[in-house]
Amino acid sequence: MAASSRAQVLRLYRALLRESQRFGSYNYRTYAIRRIRDAFRENKNIKDSEKIEELVNKAKANLEIIHRQAGIPIDAQAVASPFGWKMF
C-alpha cells in the first residue's frame, strides 16, 4: 500500500473511532468501536488497490452514518438504531 493510502486509511480509522465516542449510549459506543477495530484488523493484509479503495469508500459512508447517528439523543437512538448497516 502506498504511503499516502496508508495515511488516508489511518486517518479514516481514527476518525471513525473518534466519531464513535460521541454515542450517548455505552452499548452503541462499545459496539461501534469493536466493529471498527475488528473490520480494520480483518482487512489489514489486503494488497489489492481496488479492494482497498472499495473498503475506504464503505468506511467513509459509515463515518457519515455514525456522524448522523451520534448526534441523535439517547432516547431516539432506540428507534433510529445505526446497526441496520453493515460496516465494511
Side-chain angles (χ1 to χ4, degrees):
M1 179 183 339
S4 63
S5 294
R6 180 175 169 78
Q8 177 187 13
V9 169
L10 289 174
R11 275 194 307 272
L12 187 55
Y13 176 72
R14 286 192 294 266
L16 284 161
L17 290 176
R18 192 171 28 255
E19 198 63 31
S20 295
Q21 291 294 335
R22 294 183 55 226
F23 279 116
S25 169
Y26 172 80
N27 290 333
Y28 287 157
R29 190 170 45 249
T30 56
Y31 175 80
I33 291 169
R34 185 175 63 243
R35 284 291 297 130
I36 292 163
R37 287 181 178 155
D38 289 348
F40 274 80
R41 280 187 197 124
E42 180 181 320
N43 296 314
K44 73 179 183 180
N45 295 321
I46 293 178
K47 305 291 184 211
D48 181 26
S49 61
E50 289 180 20
K51 181 66 174 172
I52 292 171
E53 189 65 32
E54 177 187 328
L55 291 168
V56 165
N57 289 336
K58 285 183 182 181
K60 286 179 182 178
N62 285 326
L63 179 60
E64 291 176 19
I65 292 170
I66 291 171
H67 181 72
R68 283 194 309 269
Q69 292 292 324
I72 297 174
I74 294 173
D75 296 339
Q77 283 182 359
V79 175
S81 175
F83 306 124
W85 43 265
K86 183 177 183 329
M87 186 172 285
F88 312 133

